[in-house]
Amino acid sequence: MSKLLSRDDYQKMAADLSPRTQLFIDGRFVPALSGKTFDRISPRDGRVIAQVAEGDAADVDVAVASARRAFEKGSWSQMPPARRKRVLLALADKMREHRNELALLETLDMGKPIRDAFAVDVMSAANAIQWHAEAIDKVYDEVAPTGPDALGLITREPIGVVAAVVPWNFPMLMAAWKLGPALAAGNSVIVKPAEQSPLSMLRIAELAAEAGLPDGVLNVVPGFGPTAGKALGLHMDVDCVAFTGSGEVGKLFLQYSGQSNMKRVWLEAGGKTPNIVLADAPDLEKAAQHAAMGIFFNQGEVCTAASRLVVQESIREELVERIIRIGETMMPGDPLDPATAMGAIVDESQMKRVLGYIEKGRAEGATLRLGGEQVRRNEGGFYIAPTVFDNVRNDMTIAQEEIFGPVLSVIAVKDAEEAVKVANDTAYGLAACIWTRDIRQAHRMARAVKAGSVWVNCWDGGDMTMPFGGFKQSGNGRDKSLHAMEKYTEMKATWIDLS
Ligand code: NAD
């Protein structure tokens, strides 16, 4: 089924849906050893949609043992890359076959509009798996430039047992960015989905088994961060943690590693993307559309959300008015309605957090130009209107802290030099946008901004061929592209004396 359906059809599908809710370990679904479950409350209407097994340290032990057994047995780790490729391509196909089901699980679980889950999340996740699958039988190792009396081999080997700890904003996609390269390279993986959004990943694990992935190679342990997540971070037999989430928790994983086995820790953390629009931007309407999408897409729950509009004073008013006009057309609606452009905030506590920042913005003297409140209160879910603050100073809390909601801060600057200064005046360095028609200006500024991704005359440019990750406190390591493979392999140097 690959057609976007109607709201009625999705509602019917939702009524008949029986999501997988148990842990997936060693190729089958099992309850948590403690027998505990937790409620999955849909942010769409505040109703419980599933009771999910609550994995903790004891379950993590079982999952890690299964992953280790599978790795040492070699049925996946030693499989020729071309055969691993076929299994992963079959998984990507299955994800696309189940496009509507996976999109529905994602939307019900975390509130994003079904049209985005359908068009972006499922397809990009399948594409990420496919891209790495296709690459894996095309990457070669190296031979060192030695003299004739030696042979120096530089080879990459799978690292072993990888724990992928992921957030709730793009549950499937963030997992796929890690699963693609980690599985393609031959590792065994344990995914710890966010407690707010475990459903899609549990279904994908089942599809992976159907695609032919051997038992134990992919395990999924839903549960809470301070129990299941921490147990993975501290585990002596986990070789690598690939984490996407907040900087605060990312720093904990660095500690866990130091307290345990010095496991590799790769972090993709938060951001406060500056969207710099200079007066010579080539197309102000396009800039306005990207600025609006940059902050309202996925309810602003995007690590690269263009949350700071750093705009040259002479075009500020015109640009802000255009963004407001677009924002007014994006008022939250039922996430299951394909016409909805903005859905629900993931849960009540995140909604309160975002509303708290809005209060703070008002208190610190920013001018509220759009939104600023909870909407659709009668639906039982958690919705916030697209919000625009003007006259923001970069030292205000709303310009410095990651809000992770649909809240734009407009900061006026006099020229490109001040724009770069403001852009870099943050603890984060995930992404930056630059709008100018002057190619020299664009290159100079792209060099000067401290960010892992720089987008010129667009927001969120790129595809699987481009690495993704942050400078500064936005993290280390890179997802996507062949560079992602570096995280999931160890480099071995073998020197053979031929004399
Ligand atoms: P979070 O840090 O609260 O949680 C992320 C994961 O860590 C979850 O699986 C959670 O259960 C686990 N966790 C929480 N506390 C833990 C603990 N004490 N020990 C071990 N594990 C723990 O983040 P979130 O609220 O799920 O997601 C939002 C954050 O993710 C934002 O900061 C956002 O910027 C970031 N994010 C970054 C990227 C990126 O690629 N850079 C992408 C998406 C989201």
Side-chain angles (χ1 to χ4, degrees), residues 273 304 429-433 449 451-455 461 466-471 478:
T273 296
T304 53
L430 193 55
C433 313
V449 291
S453 294
V454 180
W455 298 313
M466 295 290 277
F468 179 82
F471 284 21
R478 294 294 181 266

Side-chain angles (χ1 to χ4, degrees), residues 137-330:
D137 62 347
K138 296 165 193 72
V139 283
Y140 290 75
D141 286 322
E142 297 166 57
V143 177
T146 58
D149 289 341
L151 180 60
L153 303 178
I154 305 167
T155 51
R156 287 204 164 262
E157 300 179 354
I159 193 163
V161 174
V162 173
V165 180
V166 294
W168 45 258
N169 60 338
F170 293 90
M172 208 174 340
L173 184 57
M174 293 303 102
W177 281 2
K178 302 186 189 318
L179 283 178
L183 290 177
N187 297 283
S188 295
V189 182
I190 299 140
V191 180
K192 210 296 277 168
E195 45 274 41
Q196 297 87 343
S197 57
L199 300 182
S200 56
M201 193 56 231
L202 288 168
R203 183 71 176 110
I204 288 171
E206 190 177 29
L207 295 177
E210 287 172 18
L213 200 69
D215 294 350
V217 174
L218 172 59
N219 306 278
V220 182
V221 181
F224 291 89
T227 49
K230 183 175 178 181
L232 283 165
L234 285 172
H235 207 289
M236 292 301 286
D237 209 22
V238 168
D239 300 301
C240 161
V241 168
F243 169 83
T244 298
S246 61
E248 200 186 339
V249 176
K251 287 177 186 176
L252 288 179
F253 274 101
L254 292 169
Q255 291 184 23
Y256 299 153
S257 170
Q259 288 160 13
S260 56
N261 61 344
M262 217 192 278
K263 58 179 65 64
R264 311 295 178 255
V265 176
W266 301 111
L267 305 174
E268 305 286 349
K272 200 71 198 172
T273 296
N275 182 13
I276 302 173
V277 187
L278 298 181
D280 71 342
D283 178 346
L284 213 54
E285 183 54 26
K286 181 178 167 195
Q289 279 165 10
H290 282 230
M293 277 306 279
I295 189 63
F296 303 138
F297 173 65
N298 212 47
Q299 303 72 245
E301 297 161 330
V302 180
C303 50
T304 53
S307 52
R308 291 185 297 153
L309 180 70
V310 180
V311 54
Q312 207 163 355
E313 180 58 53
S314 58
I315 53 162
R316 180 182 61 100
E317 188 52 33
E318 188 183 348
L319 184 59
V320 171
E321 273 179 19
R322 285 177 192 249
I323 294 169
I324 288 173
R325 279 205 293 276
I326 299 166
E328 283 166 347
T329 68
M330 292 182 74

